Amino acid sequence: MTMLTVMGLRAGYGKIEVLHDVGLSVGRGEIVALIGANGAGKTTLLKTICGLLRPIAGSIEFAGKSIVHRPPHKIVALGLSQVPEGRAILRRMTVLDNLRMGAFTRRDAQIGRDIDAVFERFPALGARRHKLAATLSGGEQQMLAIGRALVARPSLLLLDEPSLGLAPKLITQIFLIVRELKKEGKTVLLVEQNARQALQIADRGYVMERGRIALSGSGEELLNTPEVQQTYLGQEPDPKSPQAKGDGGSKIRHAADDGFH
């Protein structure tokens, strides 16, 4: 079942158009990676999906419903949460209050239980629940941002550069968390600068270039694509791969192949 469908999306800032006829989809239970250079339009796409930017044209459907004209808080209430680039935690509030803010659209009696589940997942946060968020390390702040999004009980989680600025050990931990979320049945759209690790855990992926979707395919297929290897992995293409051989064994889609831009 397709959870998120974006078609013909154009968006930007003022008179500057950043996204040009973008199309992608995310199926229930998938991890879908979106990679691309800085300035390619990845964060703009997530902001538009979340309702923070109004599109110029195109459609966005979540769980079969159009969300193009819905305000952000109502999109969150439908089950779509974002962990923004830079974390955007509330630094002058405690860890516990940050997590409570994640439940601002909820009115049920299970909020406390879900916050406890975050502390169980991230013991470091539990130990510092009454400390100001500003006192947390970078890795702990990222855990807090993820935990806050989870408290909203999302069916689709958008992660924008979760490994940005973290030490290698913490980056590994973040990707393990994403794997765990998939095992728990969560659906994830992952925007990530670390193309190799993102595609290694992704069911499918998209490559964005200059505001357009340039390539799409499975995570494994994209890892073996010469364009991805040269541009995003810093390695020479594998001459044994079907993509390099051009023998027709690849299912990689280019933008011109199917109208996805």
Side-chain angles (χ1 to χ4, degrees):
M1 175 181 176
T2 301
M3 181 168 287
L4 177 71
T5 303
V6 176
M7 294 185 65
L9 192 66
R10 296 169 53 208
Y13 306 91
K15 296 182 180 180
I16 301 174
E17 185 173 321
V18 177
L19 303 179
H20 312 290
D21 202 20
V22 169
L24 58 75
S25 64
V26 181
R28 185 179 298 275
E30 283 189 313
I31 297 175
V32 174
L34 177 64
I35 66 171
N38 289 337
K42 307 184 298 300
T43 294
T44 299
L45 175 59
L46 294 195
K47 286 182 176 181
T48 308
I49 292 171
C50 291
L52 298 173
L53 287 176
R54 287 292 180 91
I56 300 167
S59 64
I60 307 170
E61 289 192 358
F62 173 61
K65 299 179 181 179
S66 174
I67 58 173
V68 167
H69 298 296
R70 294 179 188 259
H73 68 281
K74 291 191 175 180
I75 294 175
V76 172
L78 286 174
L80 191 156
S81 291
Q82 182 186 13
V83 178
E85 181 181 3
R87 302 151 198 155
I89 61 169
L90 302 169
R91 297 173 60 84
R92 295 184 180 182
M93 295 176 65
T94 66
V95 168
L96 181 57
D97 285 340
N98 267 267
L99 293 177
R100 286 172 175 159
M101 288 299 295
F104 78 101
T105 63
R106 294 175 55 181
R107 297 293 182 268
D108 59 273
Q110 305 300 318
I111 295 172
R113 186 181 70 177
D114 289 346
I115 289 175
D116 287 341
V118 171
F119 289 145
E120 184 176 345
R121 185 188 297 275
F122 304 120
L125 296 183
R128 308 191 67 180
R129 68 184 68 194
H130 299 300
K131 301 292 185 181
L132 293 181
T135 67
L136 301 180
S137 68
E140 290 168 341
Q141 289 182 10
Q142 188 64 69
M143 293 173 192
L144 179 57
I146 294 173
R148 181 180 58 191
L150 292 176
V151 171
R153 284 195 173 179
S155 50
L156 173 60
L157 185 64
L158 309 184
L159 294 174
D160 193 357
E161 303 284 10
S163 75
L164 186 65
L166 299 183
K169 183 177 180 180
L170 291 173
I171 291 174
T172 299
Q173 186 176 357
I174 291 296
F175 280 99
L176 287 174
I177 291 167
V178 177
R179 287 181 185 271
E180 290 172 2
L181 292 173
K182 175 181 169 61
K183 289 179 181 179
E184 295 167 10
K186 294 284 192 299
T187 305
V188 178
L189 175 56
L190 172 64
V191 169
E192 179 53 53
Q193 61 171 351
N194 191 324
R196 186 184 304 278
Q197 290 205 49
L199 293 175
Q200 283 175 343
I201 68 170
D203 297 291
R204 294 186 300 111
Y206 294 89
V207 179
M208 178 170 274
E209 296 178 354
R210 298 180 182 179
R212 302 179 185 274
I213 299 298
L215 297 170
S216 65
S218 72
E220 182 179 1
E221 287 168 345
L222 288 173
L223 279 170
N224 292 315
T225 302
E227 299 99 312
V228 172
Q229 291 175 343
Q230 288 182 312
T231 305
Y232 302 106
L233 305 183
Q235 67 183 56
E236 291 300 315
D238 181 358
K240 297 181 180 180
S241 71
Q243 292 89 335
K245 290 179 180 178
D247 63 5
S250 171
K251 297 180 181 179
I252 289 289
R253 291 175 179 263
H254 291 71
D257 294 340
D258 57 2
F260 263 176
H261 301 294

